[in-house]
């Protein structure tokens, strides 16, 4: 009897010992893995708690360390500002380990805060390659745009031709480009207007010249100066509408362009609830402007852009639209119907990029068959803004820098219909309690029978 008891006791000891070892392993292993490795998942619908691929790409391309100094004092009413900023910057530091952050309490060191020009609690001063800027809005777009500005060697100048009814780069009218101009400034460009009634020539420090849909004929002297600018190797963004060229035919000939009259008709626009006179950009050529660009763009009242075969310019069709559409050469008010005799069937090229080697550098030209696509009214359609910023970055020689747009917080609230709410109420308030009660009664009855 004693031996049996000892065997039972030994059996229970071994069994309990194995259970204790397994329990410790189950508890300790996750802790060890959590300590040794760091893995996280962003389960928000649009991944708003993680950096976008574009932001990651910008951080990876920035050479040199980023030095950030945060001036934040502890305020009970505002909460722990330093912790919030640390949490915000943490994803950036994981991507770029040399993103160094220093925290200074301006209440304890007011002279340092004053010398840095700090005016608000939580203000951050960021330095990159000897240039610095202040940041007070902590969101992905603001920070990445700031880093892009600092990454430029200098503020590059974008000039917009004016004096002939062109779209204004600082204008507020629906047809102007004022919102686009604001985004250029946010991305580190300087913008100015160029009026040849005042200026003798295009300033030599101009990185990009924009010509956007003049409404009156340009004087021969102005056209000659524009041609001289192109001849000297200047970079150009030419936004064309379906109107006449107003004296710019020599520029089209210089660039070896054939500009088909008429408006592009794109039946695919109906899927976006847009008029068929709006061309939908979805097919893009292989080019730095469209590299990894897998978004929809919208080009209202576009015209066809064709680059003639020539030995001087290298060209790429940036956007092809109207796969099942055509170029309507007749009047739109007489009915939009494809005419096999006069109309041009799709697909239709509505944007082109040209380049050539000149004076030991690459000259870059972009011709877009719609001035409307960057206008204030249509800038928010699709990814027009991103496409426009990429165009100017490429023209200015900064194709590695891209535009970052804020992602909408689409999952901050939950809306449920009445039937769903009823099902949830019955499930949580009635069905689940009944299941628990029934299970408890079954277990209780089985134990009583033993």
């Amino acid at each position: 009897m004693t031996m049996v008891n000892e065997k039972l006791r030994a059996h229970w000891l071994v069994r309990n010992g194995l259970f204790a070892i397994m329990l410790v392993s189950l508890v300790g292993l996750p802790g060890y893995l959590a300590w040794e490795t760091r893995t996280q998942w962003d389960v928000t619908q649009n991944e708003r708690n993680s950096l976008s691929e574009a932001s990651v790409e910008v951080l990876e391309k920035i050479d040199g360390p980023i030095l950030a100094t945060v001036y934040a004092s502890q305020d009970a009413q505002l909460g722990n500002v330093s912790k919030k900023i640390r949490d915000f910057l943490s994803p950036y530091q994981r991507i770029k380990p040399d993103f160094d952050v220093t925290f200074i309490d301006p209440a304890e060191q007011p002279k340092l805060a004053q010398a840095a020009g700090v005016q608000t609690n939580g203000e951050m001063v960021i330095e990159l390659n000897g240039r610095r800027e202040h940041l007070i809005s902590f969101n992905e777009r603001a920070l990445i745009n700031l880093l892009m500005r600092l990454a430029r060697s200098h503020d590059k100048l974008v000039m917009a031709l004016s004096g002939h009814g062109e779209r204004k780069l600082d204008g507020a009218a629906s047809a102007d480009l004022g919102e686009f101009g604001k985004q250029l400034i946010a991305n580190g460009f300087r913008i100015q207007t160029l009026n040849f009634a005042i200026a003798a020539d295009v300033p030599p420090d101009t990185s990009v010249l924009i010509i956007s849909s003049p409404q009156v004929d340009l004087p021969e002297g102005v056209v000659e100066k524009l041609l001289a600018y192109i001849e000297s190797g200047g970079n150009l963004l030419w936004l064309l509408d379906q109107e006449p060229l107003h004296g710019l035919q020599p520029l089209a000939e210089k660039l070896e362009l054939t500009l088909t009259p008429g408006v592009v008709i794109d039946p695919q626009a109906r899927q976006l609830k847009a008029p068929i006179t709006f061309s939908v950009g979805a097919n893009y050529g292989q080019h730095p402007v469209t590299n990894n660009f897998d978004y929809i763009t919208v080009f209202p009242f576009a015209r066809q852009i064709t680059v003639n075969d020539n030995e001087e310019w290298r060209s790429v069709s940036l956007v092809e639209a109207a796969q099942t559409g055509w170029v309507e050469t007749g009047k739109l008010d007489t009915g939009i119907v494809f005419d096999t005799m006069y109309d041009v069937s799709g697909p239709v090229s509505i944007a082109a990029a040209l380049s050539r080697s000149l004076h030991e550098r690459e000259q870059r030209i972009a011709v877009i068959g719609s001035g409307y696509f960057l206008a204030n009214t249509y800038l928010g359609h699709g990814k027009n803004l991103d496409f426009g910023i990429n165009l100017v970055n490429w023209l200015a020689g900064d194709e590695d820098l891209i535009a970052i747009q804020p992602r909408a917080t689409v999952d901050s609230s939950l809306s449920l219909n009445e039937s769903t709410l009823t099902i949830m109420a019955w499930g949580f308030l009635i069905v689940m309690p009944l299941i628990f009660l029934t299970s408890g009664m079954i277990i209780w009855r089985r134990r009583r029978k033993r």
Side-chain angles (χ1 to χ4, degrees):
M1 190 69 178
T2 304
M3 291 185 62
V4 173
N5 291 335
E6 289 181 354
K7 287 183 178 180
L8 288 173
R9 184 180 179 185
H11 173 75
W12 280 104
L13 287 174
V14 172
R15 185 175 177 180
N16 291 338
L18 290 174
F19 176 78
I21 293 173
M22 292 177 63
L23 181 62
V24 171
S25 299
L26 288 173
V27 174
L29 183 60
Y32 172 78
L33 293 176
W35 179 265
E36 292 294 326
T37 60
R38 181 178 179 88
T39 303
Q40 63 180 25
W41 294 271
D42 190 348
V43 297
T44 54
Q45 183 175 343
N46 62 331
E47 298 182 348
R48 70 172 185 270
N49 291 326
S50 57
L51 298 182
S52 65
E53 294 181 4
S55 296
V56 172
E57 187 175 353
V58 169
L59 289 170
E60 290 175 343
K61 289 180 178 179
I62 291 179
D63 294 327
I66 301 173
L67 306 178
T69 305
V70 181
Y71 296 84
S73 59
Q74 303 305 318
D75 190 325
Q77 294 181 348
L78 298 176
N80 193 336
V81 178
S82 298
K83 182 181 183 304
K84 293 178 181 178
I85 296 177
R86 280 194 182 92
D87 293 341
F88 169 75
L89 295 176
S90 178
Y92 299 87
Q93 292 180 293
R94 286 197 296 270
I95 301 300
K96 188 169 178 57
D98 56 351
F99 193 149
D100 297 325
V101 182
T102 303
F103 286 84
I104 294 178
D105 190 336
E108 297 179 357
Q109 303 185 58
K111 291 184 178 180
L112 290 179
Q114 184 177 4
V118 173
Q119 298 180 351
T120 61
N121 186 29
E123 189 169 340
M124 181 163 62
V125 181
I126 301 179
E127 183 175 351
L128 173 64
N129 297 332
R131 308 178 72 195
R132 64 173 58 189
E133 276 199 35
H134 291 238
L135 181 69
I136 57 176
S137 299
F138 288 89
N139 58 68
E140 181 179 0
R141 177 186 177 186
L143 178 54
I144 292 297
N145 279 346
L146 182 147
L147 293 176
M148 289 168 59
R149 290 194 298 270
L150 294 179
R152 300 185 193 276
S153 58
H154 60 278
D155 293 338
K156 296 191 175 182
L157 177 61
V158 176
M159 302 290 293
L161 184 66
S162 66
H164 319 93
E166 294 89 348
R167 302 176 189 272
K168 298 178 181 178
L169 199 54
D170 57 354
S174 59
D176 285 333
L177 311 178
E179 292 300 320
F180 182 63
K182 292 178 182 178
Q183 293 301 319
L184 289 178
I185 295 174
N187 281 271
F189 292 98
R190 290 185 294 123
I191 63 172
Q192 293 182 14
T193 57
L194 175 64
N195 191 329
F196 283 115
I198 302 173
D201 292 296
V202 181
D205 60 340
T206 300
S207 296
V208 182
L209 174 64
I210 298 178
I211 302 176
S212 180
S213 310
Q215 299 300 303
V216 298
D217 291 349
L218 276 66
E220 291 185 9
V222 171
V223 176
E224 290 176 358
K225 290 180 179 180
L226 294 176
L227 293 175
Y229 172 76
I230 299 300
E231 190 66 31
S232 66
N235 301 323
L236 173 69
L237 173 58
W238 190 7
L239 303 178
L240 284 164
D241 287 317
Q242 74 273 20
E243 293 95 352
L245 294 183
H246 292 297
L248 289 175
Q249 182 61 36
L251 178 58
E253 295 173 357
K254 176 66 179 176
L255 301 178
E256 297 289 347
L257 299 178
T258 294
L259 304 174
T260 307
V263 177
V264 178
I265 303 301
D266 191 353
Q268 293 294 111
R270 290 195 179 101
Q271 298 182 8
L272 301 179
K273 307 298 181 182
I276 59 175
T277 52
F278 285 27
S279 296
V280 179
N283 296 323
Y284 304 102
Q286 295 294 323
H287 193 269
V289 171
T290 54
N291 185 33
N292 295 325
F293 191 86
D294 190 21
Y295 305 101
I296 290 176
T297 47
V298 180
F299 299 81
F301 311 106
R303 68 183 302 169
Q304 186 177 27
I305 304 293
T306 304
V307 182
N308 305 322
D309 292 335
N310 65 93
E311 297 181 355
E312 185 174 9
W313 296 98
R314 300 181 296 273
S315 65
V316 174
S317 176
L318 289 178
V319 184
E320 279 194 352
Q323 303 297 315
T324 60
W326 66 91
V327 180
E328 176 67 39
T329 58
K331 294 183 179 181
L332 298 179
D333 55 3
T334 60
I336 302 176
V337 180
F338 179 68
D339 188 326
T340 56
M341 183 175 294
Y342 298 103
D343 296 337
V344 181
S345 61
V348 181
S349 175
I350 58 175
L354 299 87
S355 61
R356 65 175 178 175
S357 298
L358 190 66
H359 306 314
E360 298 183 353
R361 58 176 291 271
E362 186 181 50
Q363 181 183 14
R364 298 175 173 183
I365 309 287
V367 183
I368 313 298
S370 171
Y372 290 95
F373 99 102
L374 291 180
N376 295 333
T377 301
Y378 303 107
L379 187 63
H381 285 48
K383 288 292 184 177
N384 287 14
L385 173 58
D386 298 71
F387 188 81
I389 294 293
N390 284 351
L391 275 173
V392 177
N393 276 331
W394 175 72
L395 292 169
D398 289 334
E399 59 267 31
D400 289 339
L401 300 178
I402 55 179
I404 306 299
Q405 296 305 305
R407 293 174 292 191
T409 308
V410 297
D411 56 345
S412 58
S413 62
L414 180 65
S415 299
L416 301 174
N417 56 38
E418 187 175 350
S419 59
T420 303
L421 289 172
T422 302
I423 293 173
M424 292 180 63
W426 273 85
F428 285 106
L429 299 178
I430 299 176
V431 177
M432 291 184 66
L434 284 175
I435 292 175
F436 293 142
L437 180 60
T438 304
S439 300
M441 292 181 66
I442 292 173
I443 294 172
W444 176 73
R445 290 187 64 182
R446 285 182 177 178
R447 287 181 177 177
R448 285 196 62 185
K449 290 180 180 181
R450 290 180 181 177

